[in-house]
Amino acid sequence: MSPASHRVLVIDDEPPIRKLLRMGLSAHGYEIQEAPNGRTALDMLAQNPDLIILDLGLPDIQGLDLLRTIRSRNESVPIVVLSSRGDETGKVEALDLGADDYVTKPFGMDELLARMRAALRHRLQMQGERPVFHVDALAVDLVRRIVKVNDNEVKLSPKEYDLLRVLVQHAGKVLTHRFLLGELWDELTDAQYLRVYVRQLRQKIEPDPERPEYILTETGIGYRLRAPD
């Protein structure tokens, strides 16, 4: 699907930000729709945007409440949140409520475009998940449960494989500590358990575990598996 076919709903109360996004994204072939507040955004959901860019600081509806409402009405539309620098708690809550990614203000257009592409790819993958995942030298066969690096099979423990499987199923999306703990352990809430398995998994699949290329850390928030280019 070409960018020209993607309609992006920008929800932001700041005219300069909307102008920046309109000019920058239009130049890359996206069709832009704008909502200066939450109520207008909810009315515009009926137009079925392909992706939403949501600023959490809106004048009429709290951003997280709006995100919750949007996700209840549309389970599949990708949502990229714009967040204030250092708003770590808000980022985590937004991701747990169903946002696909976040970009911190001030942001660069290239970074935003990359996050948008990843969010769109993630949704397409979830709609028609491919059984074999490839990124550089890493290959994960979700049907046969085989993991290879440079065509050499890697032996993983059941929990290591489960962790990698969840990351693969959401490649390109930031997964919070809370989400991953809930997927892998019913009762555990200590992120230290997760860090142990991430470290072990990196030792087995990363070219340099100290400088990971596949499992990327979102400091204080969670992890992201690098999506194929």
Side-chain angles (χ1 to χ4, degrees):
M1 188 182 296
S2 66
S5 64
H6 289 149
R7 285 171 288 111
V8 178
L9 174 58
V10 175
I11 308 172
D12 197 301
D13 65 323
E14 298 182 60
I17 296 293
R18 295 203 307 273
K19 181 179 180 181
L20 171 67
L21 292 171
R22 180 172 65 251
M23 295 176 63
L25 299 180
S26 296
H28 287 82
Y30 292 94
E31 177 186 335
I32 307 304
Q33 302 167 323
E34 299 177 36
N37 54 59
R39 290 184 177 85
T40 301
L42 291 175
D43 290 339
M44 296 180 71
L45 282 182
Q47 300 180 33
N48 294 317
D50 296 303
L51 183 140
I52 293 174
I53 297 176
L54 171 62
D55 177 24
L56 293 181
L58 297 172
D60 58 340
I61 301 176
Q62 288 193 0
L64 293 174
D65 290 337
L66 180 59
L67 171 58
R68 185 183 291 107
T69 301
I70 292 173
R71 189 52 80 215
S72 70
R73 296 186 183 183
N74 189 322
E75 295 182 355
S76 63
V77 62
I79 301 174
V80 176
V81 164
L82 298 181
S83 66
S84 301
R85 182 175 296 277
D87 184 20
E88 191 171 287
T89 301
K91 293 174 186 176
V92 171
E93 191 167 357
L95 291 165
D96 281 335
L97 286 172
D100 291 79
D101 208 339
Y102 65 86
V103 175
T104 300
K105 292 182 178 180
F107 57 86
M109 189 56 63
D110 288 343
E111 177 190 8
L112 176 60
L113 286 164
R115 299 297 179 97
M116 289 170 58
R117 288 192 297 268
L120 287 164
R121 282 197 302 267
H122 173 247
R123 288 297 165 178
L124 289 173
Q125 177 182 331
M126 293 301 290
Q127 291 166 4
E129 185 178 299
R130 291 176 295 179
V132 181
F133 172 87
H134 286 277
V135 59
D136 293 345
L138 175 66
V140 183
D141 188 325
L142 295 174
V143 175
R144 297 189 296 162
R145 296 174 63 94
I146 294 175
V147 179
K148 291 185 177 182
V149 176
N150 291 318
D151 290 327
N152 297 313
E153 187 170 347
V154 178
K155 297 298 183 182
L156 302 180
S157 71
K159 190 62 71 176
E160 290 167 352
Y161 177 82
D162 286 343
L163 170 59
L164 183 58
R165 173 183 52 79
V166 174
L167 290 167
V168 165
Q169 289 172 336
H170 298 277
K173 176 179 168 60
V174 180
L175 303 181
T176 65
H177 296 131
R178 185 188 307 168
F179 175 85
L180 287 167
L181 285 167
E183 290 289 302
L184 298 168
W185 294 279
D186 291 334
E187 303 296 333
L188 294 180
T189 58
D190 187 348
Q192 184 59 32
Y193 289 95
L194 182 60
R195 295 188 187 98
V196 168
Y197 280 97
V198 168
R199 183 167 61 249
Q200 292 175 183
L201 189 53
R202 281 173 168 163
Q203 291 288 338
K204 294 182 178 181
I205 69 171
E206 295 281 0
D208 182 351
E210 299 303 317
R211 297 176 179 81
E213 299 177 13
Y214 303 134
I215 304 175
L216 308 178
T217 299
E218 300 286 335
T219 303
I221 296 172
Y223 300 96
R224 176 206 306 266
L225 182 68
R226 195 179 119 213
D229 297 329

